[in-house]
Amino acid sequence: MATTISTEEAYSTPPKISSCGVSVPGNQQHLDEPSLRDLSRSNVFPKVWSHSTEDKNLTLYGFRRFKTTHLVNLRFLEEEISGLDHRIYQAGLSLDNGTLDRKPDRLGLRCSHRDANIPALQDSITDSLVLNLRHLLKDYDDALASFNKLMAMETFSLIDDEGKSRERNDLHPYEKYKTRLVRADLGTRATHDPIRRGIQKALQRFQYSRTLHEVDTDKEQGTISHPSREAKKLSYQNTALLAEVLSRILASLMAGAFMVLPLIMVSYQTRQRDHLITISLWIIGFSVSVSATLRASNLTTIGVVAAYSAVLSVFVSKG
């Protein structure tokens, strides 16, 4: 039998905010919440559909990272586990009857602080504590592993995609410039290339400067957006691809310079000692450059420098 709610009863309870952020009468919240949720989904669906069928890869595969929110969640879990960890340690220290003085103290328990009033063991170590600890540790470990993978994913700035950037009217251009999105279609970054990263940041900084200039122009003209710019095609800057190409070109030029310039200098020298000094200085300079610009492992760096030294030594021996 259907329940009838009068107008007086509906407004007798203060209105509440539903999960969709819509204010509804308290007595009707449970009845109307599904329809309100469906209404919210239908309102956001056009934007979701547009992003899911976009031709541009940045819009199609770009997702918000929520870095700070992930960190807040990890800190909350850390604090909860810390409380249980303290409780367990205090229960363990209460079992010590001088045995710590007779065996190696690997964990440094002799110096551990002991609470004045430690609860009884049956009150401290309970089934509910063990179950809660298991759930928290599982959530903590999964969150840490997921966050580690998330931070290794390829990123780009929100300001690179002008279409998505314009949708975030709540953000200042600098906030858009600092907001990072992840590329779901690209693999994780196995190594960190400082040259590539520096080029990508420079491109994003240029895009931010251009956007900030447009905002300042709009303020001077007293408009929110210039009509001529609304009609033009939205800018789309794939900084990851551009930085990859430019860094490869720059690395090739640097490698060529380190090979050609010492050979040119050696060709104008007649004494063997001058050859050795020149080659030694270039090898040292190459070693420092590789170590500073490429975050390679020590073994890889030694191998690259050894190969470079072998090539130059051939020309010295023939000189």
Side-chain angles (χ1 to χ4, degrees), residues 268-286:
Y268 287 97
Q269 297 172 346
T270 57
R271 293 187 300 178
Q272 189 72 13
R273 188 183 66 176
D274 294 339
H275 291 175
L276 292 175
I277 293 175
T278 301
I279 296 302
S280 299
L281 291 176
W282 275 98
I283 291 175
I284 294 174
F286 180 78

Side-chain angles (χ1 to χ4, degrees), residues 279-314:
I279 296 302
S280 299
L281 291 176
W282 275 98
I283 291 175
I284 294 174
F286 180 78
S287 304
V288 173
S289 300
V290 170
S291 302
T293 58
L294 300 179
R295 292 189 179 180
S297 63
N298 295 332
L299 185 61
T300 303
T301 303
I302 293 174
V304 171
V305 174
Y308 178 74
S309 304
V311 173
L312 293 186
S313 63
V314 172

Side-chain angles (χ1 to χ4, degrees), residues 54-291:
E54 180 61 55
D55 293 333
K56 301 180 179 66
N57 286 338
L58 284 187
T59 306
L60 184 62
Y61 300 115
F63 294 89
R64 294 179 64 183
R65 186 167 59 173
F66 298 108
K67 175 183 174 181
T68 303
T69 307
H70 277 89
L71 290 174
V72 169
N73 178 53
L74 282 170
R75 293 303 180 190
F76 276 131
L77 288 171
E78 184 182 39
E79 290 299 323
E80 293 181 61
I81 296 175
S82 295
L84 297 180
D85 179 76
H86 178 78
R87 185 174 171 182
I88 292 172
Y89 262 78
Q90 292 301 314
L93 292 174
S94 66
L95 300 176
D96 176 36
N97 296 319
T99 57
L100 288 177
D101 297 330
R102 300 191 301 268
K103 65 179 182 179
D105 187 15
R106 183 175 182 179
L107 298 179
L109 296 179
R110 293 191 188 96
C111 302
S112 298
H113 173 76
R114 304 192 183 196
D115 295 343
N117 298 317
I118 301 177
L121 196 63
Q122 58 270 21
D123 297 330
S124 298
I125 308 302
T126 60
D127 292 340
S128 60
L129 180 138
V130 175
L131 293 176
N132 190 25
L133 180 64
R134 288 174 181 173
H135 290 307
L136 286 175
L137 286 177
K138 184 179 183 304
D139 293 341
Y140 186 68
D141 295 342
D142 292 343
L144 274 178
S146 299
F147 185 73
N148 180 266
K149 293 180 180 179
L150 183 69
M151 295 303 295
M153 296 178 67
E154 190 65 53
T155 63
F156 66 96
S157 175
L158 175 62
I159 208 167
D160 291 335
D161 189 348
E162 191 173 359
K164 276 190 174 182
S165 179
R166 289 191 179 185
E167 293 175 358
R168 297 299 304 275
N169 296 325
D170 57 320
L171 299 180
H172 185 271
Y174 186 73
E175 293 181 276
K176 297 178 182 180
Y177 162 66
K178 298 297 290 184
T179 300
R180 293 292 180 266
L181 287 80
V182 295
R183 288 285 299 271
D185 60 322
L186 300 179
T188 57
R189 294 172 292 188
T191 58
H192 182 77
D193 187 352
I195 298 177
R196 178 180 175 277
R197 186 61 179 164
I199 295 174
Q200 188 173 8
K201 285 186 176 181
L203 293 172
Q204 292 170 351
R205 185 71 183 181
F206 172 77
Q207 182 75 355
Y208 165 66
S209 301
R210 190 177 69 87
T211 303
L212 193 62
H213 175 71
E214 293 177 353
V215 172
D216 293 339
T217 303
D218 290 340
K219 289 182 179 179
E220 293 175 0
Q221 297 177 351
T223 57
I224 299 177
S225 58
H226 200 275
S228 61
R229 194 165 64 252
E230 287 289 337
K232 77 173 187 178
K233 185 178 180 181
L234 298 177
S235 65
Y236 171 79
Q237 181 175 264
N238 193 344
T239 53
L241 179 60
L242 291 174
E244 181 73 22
V245 174
L246 293 176
S247 63
R248 289 178 181 273
I249 294 175
L250 184 59
S252 301
L253 293 176
M254 290 178 58
F258 272 102
M259 291 298 298
V260 174
L261 292 179
L263 299 182
I264 294 176
M265 295 178 62
V266 169
S267 64
Y268 287 97
Q269 297 172 346
T270 57
R271 293 187 300 178
Q272 189 72 13
R273 188 183 66 176
D274 294 339
H275 291 175
L276 292 175
I277 293 175
T278 301
I279 296 302
S280 299
L281 291 176
W282 275 98
I283 291 175
I284 294 174
F286 180 78
S287 304
V288 173
S289 300
V290 170
S291 302

